[in-house]
């Protein structure tokens, strides 16, 4: 390895030594001057990133866990730094992982929610991941665990900077198996394909049973240990995103029944064992001092699973919300000789800060595209004056729900699913979601970590300052709550690039009267959008769709004169992940005079859980029936059902083209 490639790291090493080990300064400088450093000291540091699924803030011994022990992670904290104000970008699987990998808010890279097994999108290959920037410095890279950034070939890890991959392409509950472990024969579970286990780009096995699930943590751990052994003589980046403790829980026989808390505690104890195996392997190969290990979670606990979920105490709510229990997660970072031992850091930091920090440590180039993360290396160095992250924005599914600066957090009015005042499930079965609503609310997190005392009336100037911060990011990343479209939102990767179709029909350019006002964020191009001759794609952001939030759709088209009609159709979009539901009722009417109308098409649709993104055309064939006026009515489903992540929130109708022939 060329000497000039090592200079950034050696410079940092001498700085660390001066801070924490003054007696080593002379030796370090002397070794550098005489060019007699060992191969080990010349090497760039190894990086191990352990990412748990749905682990709560209070699910480690060093964060107050009850009913089970995590001695290996606690020891890691005693030998490193514990972050207590550490956030993910969004409290949901795919969005959280996209932010971690790219150093961007999830909104910037166009990733929302949790990708389903039939999704045709993924993390855009044009985005640069942690693995890709480290490979530019000669790192070998491996991932063993859950990916969830696109299951199609072009989105899998080997196409995003990783050399090795073993794991599930998405969440372990996306399978045709009931909560009790029996094969699904009815209901929504039937729609899922079998759960595949991938090696590289190929499926090598099926995860068909709860017993199969119990092998996952051990499988990932064994491969992680093997990866370290195989690459001990060169710098490596090891990413271990465990499938656990996402439901359904799976734990091996060696930990089953070991905790007082039950199966969730058993599973956390096995995760702790996995961390211990990785740390033990680093120690055995004398890699401790040259390996940075990061442990954190993708979001807070899925609380409606009751005793099969973790704890966010003392935080409010959990996964799927942007109250503190959703995005605030435990984080432990260990790097002996570099990160001060036993230190608690209370500064704001985030998973989006990991990429730029690793770039600073290794000298790797930052991505060419804009990122949102900041370098938190000064925090890792123990600098008491360092505060690299001044503020943090809390997005969820296109909505800017809150902003934090220092101890202050301002929530904007929004609806959210809630776990409060509902009975949680037990033993692997979920309970219902509640519905929450908040107005503009300001909280002092230093004195009110549970976000219960709204002090906006006492601190109007602080609320105004945070509101001004929020307004700036809205124009970059958008905000569905205020109808602002972001100018810097990038596209996700798309498997099949659909094109907008231009079609000719009799209603193009004619007069139209709309019954309700469309959403400011989804105008489709204005009041004539549904008769402009453009037929949209399944991408609701392609500019052709007109969206209606919480209201019905109604339109009256005047063709200008009586004509003989043979066909009328109108298209609606379904994208339940983005709160877009098919209308519950659609009616098409025609008239000669605009006063007396005949119903020629009427259909009602019962709302069902269907994650597929699709366009549904309501059409009617006519036999040269004369008409001048066409009236369309579509009834909005109203509110998201209990099973939806936005339960209780307003649903959208998205309308495409009213085609008249």
């Amino acid at each position: 390895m060329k000497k000039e490639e090592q200079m950034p790291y050696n410079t940092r090493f001498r700085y660390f030594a001066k801070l924490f080990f003054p007696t080593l300064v002379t030796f370090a400088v002397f070794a550098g001057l005489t060019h007699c450093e060992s191969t080990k000291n010349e090497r760039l540091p190894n990086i191990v990133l352990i990412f748990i699924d749905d682990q709560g803030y209070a699910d480690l011994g060093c964060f107050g866990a009850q009913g089970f022990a995590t001695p290996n992670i606690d020891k890691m904290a005693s030998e490193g730094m514990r972050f207590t104000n550490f956030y993910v970008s969004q409290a949901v699987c795919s969005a959280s992982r996209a932010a971690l990998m790219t150093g961007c808010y999830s909104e910037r890279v166009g990733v929302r929610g949790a990708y389903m097994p039939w999704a045709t999108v993924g993390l855009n290959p044009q985005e640069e991941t942690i693995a890709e920037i480290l490979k530019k410095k000669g790192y070998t890279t491996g991932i063993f665990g859950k990916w969830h950034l696109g299951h199609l070939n072009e989105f899998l890890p080997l196409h995003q900077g990783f050399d090795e991959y073993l794991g599930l392409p998405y969440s372990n509950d996306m399978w045709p198996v009931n909560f009790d472990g029996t094969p699904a024969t009815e209901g929504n579970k039937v729609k899922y394909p079998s759960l595949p286990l991938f090696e590289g780009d190929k499926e090598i096995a099926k995860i068909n049973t709860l017993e199969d699930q119990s092998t996952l943590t051990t499988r990932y751990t064994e491969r992680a240990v093997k990866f370290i052994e195989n690459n001990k003589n060169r710098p490596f980046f090891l990413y271990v995103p465990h499938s656990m403790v996402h439901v359904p829980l799976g734990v091996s026989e060696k930990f089953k029944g070991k905790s007082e808390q039950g199966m969730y505690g058993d599973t956390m104890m096995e995760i702790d064992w996995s961390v211990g195996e990785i740390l033990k392997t680093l120690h055995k190969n004398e890699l401790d001092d040259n390996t940075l290990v990061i442990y954190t979670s993708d979001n807070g606990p899925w609380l409606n699973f009751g005793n099969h979920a973790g704890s966010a105490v003392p935080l409010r709510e959990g996964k799927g919300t942007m109250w503190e229990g959703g995005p605030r997660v435990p984080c432990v970072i260990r790097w002996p000789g570099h990160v001060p031992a036993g230190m608690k850091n209370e500064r704001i930091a985030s998973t989006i800060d990991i990429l730029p920090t690793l770039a600073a440590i290794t000298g790797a180039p930052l991505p060419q595209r804009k990122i949102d993360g900041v370098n938190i290396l000064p925090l890792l160095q123990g600098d008491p004056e360092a505060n690299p992250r001044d503020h943090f924005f809390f997005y969820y599914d296109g909505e800017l729900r809150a902003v934090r600066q220092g101890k202050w957090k301002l929530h904007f009015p929004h609806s959210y699913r809630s776990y409060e005042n509902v009975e949680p499930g037990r033993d692997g079965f979920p309970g219902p979601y509640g519905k929450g609503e908040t107005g503009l609310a300001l909280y002092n997190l230093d004195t009110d970590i549970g976000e219960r005392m709204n002090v906006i009336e006492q601190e109007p100037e602080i609320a105004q300052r945070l509101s001004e911060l929020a307004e700036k990011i809205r124009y970059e990343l958008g905000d569905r709550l205020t109808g602002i479209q972001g100018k810097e939102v990038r596209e996700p990767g798309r498997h099949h690039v659909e094109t907008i179709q231009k079609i000719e029909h009799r209603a193009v350019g004619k007069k139209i009267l709309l019954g309700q006002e469309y959403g400011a964020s989804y105008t489709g191009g204005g009041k004539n959008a549904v008769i402009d001759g453009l037929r949209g794609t399944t991408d609701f952001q392609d500019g052709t769709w007109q969206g209606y939030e919480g209201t019905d759709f109604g339109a009256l088209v005047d063709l200008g004169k009586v004509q003989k009609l043979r066909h009328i159709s109108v298209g609606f979009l379904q994208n339940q992940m983005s709160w877009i539901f098919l209308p519950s009722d659609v009616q098409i009417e025609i008239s000669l005079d605009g006063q007396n109308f005949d119903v020629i098409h009427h259909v009602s649709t019962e709302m069902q859980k269907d994650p597929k993104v699709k366009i549904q055309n309501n059409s009617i064939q006519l036999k040269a029936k004369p008409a001048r006026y066409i009236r369309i009515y579509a009834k909005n489903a109203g509110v998201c059902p209990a099973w939806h992540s936005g339960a209780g929130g307003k649903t959208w109708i998205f309308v495409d083209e009213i085609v008249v022939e």
Side-chain angles (χ1 to χ4, degrees), residues 471-490:
E471 196 64 15
K472 294 178 182 178
I473 200 66
R474 285 188 179 107
Y475 287 97
E476 282 191 37
L477 302 184
D479 178 20
R480 279 179 47 187
L481 293 172
T482 55
I484 296 174
Q485 289 185 292
K487 297 179 180 179
E488 298 184 16
V489 176
R490 303 197 285 261

Side-chain angles (χ1 to χ4, degrees), residues 2-299:
K2 294 180 181 179
K3 179 181 175 183
E4 59 266 27
E5 291 179 344
Q6 294 303 303
M7 286 304 295
Y9 175 63
N10 290 340
T11 301
R12 278 184 291 277
F13 178 82
R14 288 195 292 272
Y15 179 68
F16 290 153
K18 186 176 180 180
L19 277 175
F20 307 120
F21 302 92
T23 59
L24 296 180
V25 172
T26 302
F27 170 78
V29 174
F30 174 78
L33 291 174
T34 59
H35 308 289
C36 292
E37 291 174 293
S38 68
T39 302
K40 175 182 172 182
N41 285 337
E42 285 184 355
R43 274 183 51 186
L44 290 164
N46 307 307
I47 313 294
V48 177
L49 175 55
I50 303 168
F51 207 50
I52 312 304
D53 200 337
D54 288 4
Q55 183 196 313
Y57 185 75
D59 290 339
L60 297 177
C62 55
F63 278 79
Q66 299 291 318
F68 59 91
T70 56
N72 292 303
I73 303 169
D74 296 347
K75 185 173 186 290
M76 182 178 157
S78 70
E79 296 172 345
M81 186 175 291
R82 181 165 59 97
F83 283 79
T84 59
N85 281 277
F86 195 81
Y87 292 101
V88 298
S89 174
Q90 290 191 37
V92 62
C93 295
S94 296
S96 178
R97 289 156 203 277
L100 170 71
M101 284 289 104
T102 64
C104 298
Y105 285 114
S106 315
E107 291 298 315
R108 187 176 298 281
V109 294
V111 179
R112 296 177 179 173
Y115 288 148
M116 294 297 173
W118 39 81
T120 59
V121 293
L123 180 64
N124 196 321
Q126 293 183 24
E127 303 292 349
E128 291 183 77
T129 66
I130 293 174
E132 286 172 312
I133 70 161
L134 291 178
K135 282 192 73 66
K136 294 178 181 180
K137 297 298 292 183
Y139 277 75
T140 300
T141 57
I143 165 178
F144 309 109
K146 170 183 168 179
W147 176 238
H148 216 171
L149 289 173
H151 71 282
L152 299 175
N153 185 271
E154 63 263 42
F155 306 131
L156 289 173
L158 298 195
H159 304 272
Q160 305 277 11
F162 288 95
D163 299 315
E164 296 183 35
Y165 169 48
L166 173 78
L168 302 184
Y170 36 76
S171 294
N172 65 321
D173 67 332
M174 295 179 178
W175 64 338
V177 179
N178 294 318
F179 295 112
D180 61 1
T182 59
T185 57
E186 58 183 8
N188 292 315
K189 286 282 188 179
V190 174
K191 300 173 183 176
Y192 286 97
S194 296
L195 188 60
L197 181 70
F198 272 72
E199 173 87 46
D201 286 344
K202 295 182 179 180
E203 179 183 322
I204 61 168
K206 296 286 190 187
I207 304 299
N208 291 320
T209 66
L210 293 176
E211 288 71 25
D212 292 340
Q213 297 263 5
S214 70
T215 69
L216 291 174
T217 300
T218 297
R219 286 192 199 216
Y220 300 158
T221 305
E222 289 174 348
R223 283 298 298 271
V225 166
K226 183 179 178 181
F227 180 81
I228 295 171
E229 296 278 6
N230 290 344
N231 296 285
K232 59 187 176 185
N233 294 320
R234 53 177 172 257
F236 60 78
F237 169 50
L238 169 60
Y239 177 39
V240 188
H242 279 286
S243 293
M244 300 300 149
V245 285
H246 193 291
V247 293
L249 297 177
V251 64
S252 67
E253 288 296 328
K254 57 184 176 288
F255 287 97
K256 191 173 291 184
K258 297 295 185 182
S259 81
E260 297 175 7
Q261 197 268 0
M263 194 167 180
Y264 184 86
D266 299 346
T267 309
M268 275 304 307
M269 289 178 69
E270 186 163 28
I271 291 290
D272 182 74
W273 163 83
S274 174
V275 174
E277 291 297 295
I278 290 170
L279 295 177
K280 184 168 64 176
T281 306
L282 294 174
H283 182 72
K284 182 180 73 172
N285 289 283
E286 299 182 348
L287 298 173
D288 269 331
D289 294 349
N290 200 41
T291 303
L292 171 65
V293 183
I294 304 169
Y295 178 99
T296 189
S297 175
D298 72 335
N299 49 246

